[in-house]
Amino acid sequence: DQVLLMRGELNFNVGNYDGAREYFTRALTVAPGSPDALYWLGRLALAEALPEEAETLLLSADENGYLRHSALSYALAQSLFDQ
């Protein structure tokens, strides 16, 4: 799970969104409900200008225990602002 997330984040950071999506989706398959995978899929949706999808994913990350991270709060606020 962590290796998949790290690879996904690396792909995300260099703008390879298709590669990032593949790794984050695989991480979610390995660990269903993973707040980290949901968070990164939400960030990916924001990067691809899909605010409604981003909001859904980020709220799911929050429901699975991710709110403690200030990055989630920022990303969620960004998705709501962009609507």
Side-chain angles (χ1 to χ4, degrees):
D1 176 38
Q2 291 301 317
V3 171
L4 294 171
L5 290 169
M6 288 172 45
R7 288 182 178 177
E9 187 175 353
L10 287 170
N11 279 274
F12 178 87
N13 288 334
V14 298
N16 180 5
Y17 296 151
D18 289 336
R21 180 179 296 100
E22 179 182 335
Y23 284 113
F24 297 142
T25 302
R26 286 175 55 194
L28 200 55
T29 301
V30 170
S34 165
D36 293 312
L38 290 166
Y39 166 77
W40 279 108
L41 285 167
R43 289 277 312 272
L44 184 59
L46 280 177
E48 296 179 323
L50 301 168
E52 291 89 12
E53 182 178 335
E55 180 181 4
T56 299
L57 289 162
L58 294 169
L59 287 171
S60 293
D62 176 32
E63 290 170 5
N64 286 286
Y66 210 87
L67 187 60
R68 66 188 177 277
H69 297 282
S70 61
L72 171 66
S73 300
Y74 174 79
L76 183 55
Q78 185 180 7
S79 77
L80 294 171
F81 179 77
D82 288 343
Q83 288 186 17

